[in-house]
Amino acid sequence: MAIPLVAQEETTSEASKYNPLDPAMISLTIAPDARGGAMGDIGAATEPDEMSQYWNPAKYAFAYSRSGLSLNYTPWLRKITSGINLMNAAGYYKFGFDDNQAVSASLSYFSLGEVTVINNEGAELQVINPMEMAMDVGYSRMLSPNFSMGVVFRYLHSAMTYTDSDNKPSNTFAADIAAYYETYPLVGYNECKWAWGLNVSNIGGKVSYDGGSTSQFLPAKLRLGTSFTFPLDDYNLLSISADADKYLIPAKPKRGNYESDDDYQIALKDYYAMNGITGVFKSFSDAPRGAAEELEEINWGIGAEYTYDRRFFLRAGYHHEAENKGNRKYFTAGAGFKMNIFSIDAAYVFSTSQTNPLDQTMRFTLGFDLDGLTELFNTRRR
């Protein structure tokens, strides 16, 4: 009899440790582009591109081209159903002395297809089309030849439930602040590139569908990354990059952590009343199991990118999330091809657990070098 009792206690203990964070606007947590998605969902310090708005907007100030545009498509839960996807467009334009400043913008639309709402008796109430939308604008500037900073202001709209007198779509605002640094050390006779990136994203309001009685925190996140690029020869480059990130939202109270239901209801009321800024500071010290659980909230990813002649790309990566915080662990792979004025990238996810909604799905990115496109038109006119 002793053995089953011990096993049950261990199982119960492990289950009580499972405490994933519960942010609103899940679409903001999905890597929208194939390049970052192919490298383990990283991008804080990778080479600047059109999709820097999501990973680190400060990188735009160091972009090679003066302007660019990216179109992205990411399916969601494709193994289970169809019609759920994330569509994203992002672009930037550089200006100022020596093109040391950039303005940027992006638009994301997350669709969950058609959902039939039924009541407790099984009667159909209505058919809805849940969706989330984010629109943002950003500004970045080089503060030195090696360092830049950027900010983004974001409008968010979420309509994830059916509409009645007590249930309405939610609108709120958020902001990002980011920094990027790059240097060029010599390794032997080769000039390499070493970059660091920091992005604090989605700091702002909360999402509520019932007038504020209950509410969820936005997926505010602190992301830190580094990338090292080594030239193998005149045509071949190899980059190794890594990111670590932590959600800046407090853990939602669990009934099992309180002695009485009254104490639990008080904690839940305080959780719903807490504003987003207070939640950021509380997120560093609120885990029920203390520092050990706080460390579990740090996700990390590592990725590699091989480049030939700056035209052909092969990528691979791995992303890790702690078992008690969601257990999303997966390998990624992808490839890309770049011409003078456009590029195309694809990524694929191989999940090692059953908790990743992107498992065995492809995502695609189409990029345009608008500066190169302008030059092409001007050449033809001549």
Side-chain angles (χ1 to χ4, degrees):
M1 294 294 293
I3 295 177
L5 287 175
V6 172
Q8 184 177 0
E9 290 176 359
E10 290 179 353
T11 301
T12 303
S13 176
E14 289 301 318
S16 66
K17 293 181 180 179
Y18 187 74
N19 189 27
L21 299 174
D22 184 31
M25 298 289 293
I26 192 66
S27 60
L28 297 177
T29 70
I30 306 171
D33 66 311
R35 183 182 179 224
M39 299 172 65
D41 285 357
I42 64 172
T46 53
E47 192 79 12
D49 61 10
E50 295 86 357
M51 282 306 301
S52 296
Q53 185 87 338
Y54 179 84
W55 299 106
N56 183 346
K59 295 194 299 181
Y60 280 130
F62 284 89
Y64 292 119
S65 177
R66 182 174 297 173
S67 58
L69 174 68
S70 177
L71 304 176
N72 307 272
Y73 175 76
T74 302
W76 187 255
L77 293 174
R78 186 49 51 92
K79 290 179 62 178
I80 301 175
T81 185
S82 61
I84 303 179
N85 53 71
L86 173 67
M87 293 170 284
N88 172 276
Y92 71 96
Y93 174 76
K94 295 179 66 176
F95 64 98
F97 176 74
D98 201 24
D99 289 339
N100 66 338
Q101 304 174 66
V103 291
S104 54
S106 72
L107 172 65
S108 294
Y109 184 87
F110 183 55
S111 171
L112 275 78
E114 289 189 350
V115 177
T116 301
V117 180
I118 59 176
N119 60 19
N120 294 332
E121 288 73 34
E124 180 178 320
L125 297 178
Q126 65 181 110
V127 177
I128 63 174
N129 299 95
M131 54 79 70
E132 295 177 349
M133 183 178 66
M135 296 186 295
D136 51 50
V137 294
Y139 170 77
S140 59
R141 182 186 179 97
M142 293 176 61
L143 302 179
S144 78
N146 301 92
F147 179 70
S148 65
M149 294 193 71
V151 293
V152 169
F153 298 97
R154 181 171 294 114
Y155 163 73
L156 301 165
H157 175 79
S158 179
M160 300 296 285
T161 58
Y162 73 97
T163 56
D164 60 18
S165 58
D166 300 318
N167 206 331
K168 303 296 183 182
S170 180
N171 301 281
T172 190
F173 296 88
D176 305 350
I177 183 169
Y180 177 74
Y181 176 84
E182 64 178 32
T183 186
Y184 293 86
L186 287 176
V187 177
Y189 296 101
N190 296 306
E191 183 181 67
C192 304
K193 179 182 177 180
W194 193 9
W196 290 84
L198 171 72
N199 190 19
V200 183
S201 59
N202 298 315
I203 305 298
K206 298 175 71 177
V207 172
S208 176
Y209 305 105
D210 56 9
S213 298
T214 61
S215 59
Q216 289 178 284
F217 289 89
L218 294 174
K221 181 178 287 188
L222 169 64
R223 180 183 295 274
L224 177 66
T226 187
S227 180
F228 192 85
T229 301
F230 183 85
L232 303 176
D233 54 37
D234 292 341
Y235 292 94
N236 298 275
L237 294 173
L238 179 64
S239 297
I240 305 295
S241 306
D243 278 12
D245 64 72
K246 182 187 185 303
Y247 282 117
L248 303 180
I249 59 176
K252 189 175 182 179
K254 294 177 62 177
R255 176 63 183 88
N257 294 330
Y258 296 87
E259 293 183 359
S260 68
D261 190 64
D262 288 341
D263 291 340
Y264 169 66
Q265 292 299 328
I266 292 174
L268 198 61
K269 183 177 180 181
D270 291 341
Y271 174 85
Y272 289 136
M274 189 185 309
N275 63 54
I277 303 300
T278 301
V280 168
F281 293 99
K282 190 174 178 60
S283 67
F284 290 99
S285 59
D286 71 317
R289 292 187 289 110
E293 185 173 348
E294 292 291 351
L295 291 175
E296 288 181 352
E297 293 180 359
I298 299 176
N299 304 324
W300 56 269
I302 185 169
E305 181 178 57
Y306 164 76
T307 305
Y308 175 74
D309 198 25
R310 293 195 175 273
R311 293 183 180 274
F312 301 94
F313 306 88
L314 293 176
R315 307 179 180 106
Y318 175 76
H319 182 86
H320 175 87
E321 181 181 63
E323 293 183 6
N324 295 323
K325 293 299 176 178
N327 198 33
R328 283 167 291 196
K329 303 173 183 177
Y330 47 91
F331 290 95
T332 60
F337 175 72
K338 184 176 183 179
M339 294 292 288
N340 292 333
I341 60 173
F342 80 94
S343 62
I344 184 168
D345 297 285
Y348 190 76
V349 176
F350 308 85
S351 183
T352 60
S353 65
Q354 300 301 315
T355 54
N356 182 17
L358 286 174
D359 184 29
Q360 299 182 26
T361 59
M362 297 282 292
R363 68 182 98 181
F364 304 93
T365 294
L366 186 62
F368 298 91
D369 182 346
L370 299 183
D371 196 33
L373 189 62
T374 301
E375 292 182 0
L376 179 63
F377 284 143
N378 291 337
T379 301
R380 289 185 174 180
R381 288 177 181 177
R382 294 172 189 169

